Amino acid sequence: MKAVIFDLDGVITDTAEYHYLAWKHTAEQIGIEIDRSFNERLKGIDREQSLDTILIHGGAAGKYRDAEKQEIMRRKNQYYQQLIQNLTPHDLLPGIAGLFAGLKRENVSIALASSSRNAPAILERLGVMDEFQAVVDPALLARGKPDPEIFLTAAALLGVPPLECAAIEDAKAGIAAIKSAGMFAVGVGDESSMRGADLSVRSTNELTFELLKEGWQRCCCIREEK
Ligand code: G6P
Ligand code: MG
């Protein structure tokens, strides 16, 4: 394991909750109700895909012109940015600072693979930008998660082969992307939503370098036995 690639929202900090609140508020304004269980489908996918998924759910696919959709997304992002403006280093999820320290100690590179265009601002507010040797710019990608492009780009930026990378995700689409990239997938959250991950934890406070290494070695043994 030469690199660990992190998702941001729901892995490094609890902004997955803020995305949910912002979409819920915005969807209500156009008469669409969403709940937490529906929200699982929005995790990991970009802004445009999220809006399309909400409109289909609300029976409003095709109802809005492009300019109107842009305006809805602008409102969602404005509300989201209000929610994240007071983030501080205290908002790092438990265990993440310790994991960064463990990876640094073991000379494992760290990269970010988030679909969020707000990611750099969030890393700055959390005070962890310097922990990352690479941050993928999602605006430069052709395809979002579950396509592996974002994880493969992170590995390429680090100069590490995908087979030497582990990646951590809280979203189904993210786990699928990691597996298609040929990487070791670590899921954070409910076991049911993390199906397909090579290693699952319920909470980030379980994440340590030692746990990742143990899971990695177990997984490599299985690969070799096949
Ligand atoms: C991440 C989150 C999604 C969010 C997407 C786009 O993938 O998991 O919930 O919609 O980023 O974020 P943005 O900040 O660019 O709207
Ligand atoms: Mg996430």
Side-chain angles (χ1 to χ4, degrees):
M1 184 171 70
K2 298 214 171 83
V4 175
I5 304 171
F6 287 77
D7 172 46
L8 173 69
D9 301 304
V11 170
I12 293 176
T13 186
D14 203 12
T15 38
E17 177 66 13
Y18 295 153
H19 276 296
Y20 168 60
L21 295 175
W23 274 127
K24 188 169 173 56
H25 179 74
T26 311
E28 264 162 22
Q29 292 177 334
I30 52 170
I32 300 175
E33 277 299 322
I34 64 168
D35 60 16
R36 281 177 197 281
S37 122
F38 170 80
N39 185 60
E40 288 302 306
R41 285 161 50 191
L42 302 183
K43 287 186 179 173
I45 64 173
D46 68 22
R47 215 177 288 173
E48 286 76 10
Q49 275 182 286
S50 299
L51 177 58
D52 285 340
T53 308
I54 290 170
L55 293 177
I56 292 168
H57 169 74
K63 180 170 172 186
Y64 298 99
R65 283 174 292 134
D66 268 1
E68 292 169 313
K69 283 166 69 170
Q70 290 299 332
E71 172 56 20
I72 297 169
M73 289 188 280
R74 192 196 62 75
R75 284 205 303 264
K76 183 269 174 175
N77 194 47
Q78 193 179 37
Y79 187 54
Y80 177 70
Q81 287 185 336
Q82 280 168 20
L83 295 173
I84 61 171
Q85 73 180 346
N86 295 323
L87 285 177
T88 73
H90 293 294
D91 294 298
L92 272 183
L93 278 168
I96 295 298
L99 179 58
F100 286 156
L103 295 173
K104 203 177 207 170
R105 192 184 61 228
E106 302 292 336
N107 285 319
V108 177
S109 303
I110 301 179
L112 189 84
S114 167
S115 318
S116 172
R117 279 167 263 175
N118 289 293
I122 293 175
L123 293 184
E124 289 294 353
R125 279 174 211 163
L126 295 171
V128 293
M129 185 59 109
D130 291 347
E131 305 288 345
F132 292 84
Q133 283 82 62
V135 173
V136 177
D137 179 354
L140 303 178
L141 304 175
R143 293 168 299 275
K145 299 170 188 177
D147 190 279
E149 185 181 13
I150 192 165
F151 288 100
L152 294 173
T153 305
L157 288 173
L158 294 174
V160 174
L163 277 175
E164 290 293 338
C165 297
I168 313 180
E169 262 289 350
D170 70 322
K172 256 189 194 165
I175 296 289
I178 298 171
K179 290 315 297 172
S180 332
M183 299 177 182
F184 178 75
V186 181
V188 179
D190 262 356
E191 233 164 281
S192 58
S193 16
M194 286 305 120
R195 226 164 273 148
D198 299 303
L199 171 73
S200 294
V201 293
R202 281 205 149 268
S203 151
T204 54
N205 62 16
E206 295 168 53
L207 292 171
T208 59
F209 168 74
E210 287 71 25
L211 183 86
L212 296 193
K213 198 173 148 198
E214 211 181 280
W216 175 279
Q217 281 169 344
R218 204 175 335 115
C219 192
C220 287
C221 292
I222 295 170
R223 271 190 223 161
E224 277 160 21
E225 272 167 23
K226 275 185 187 164

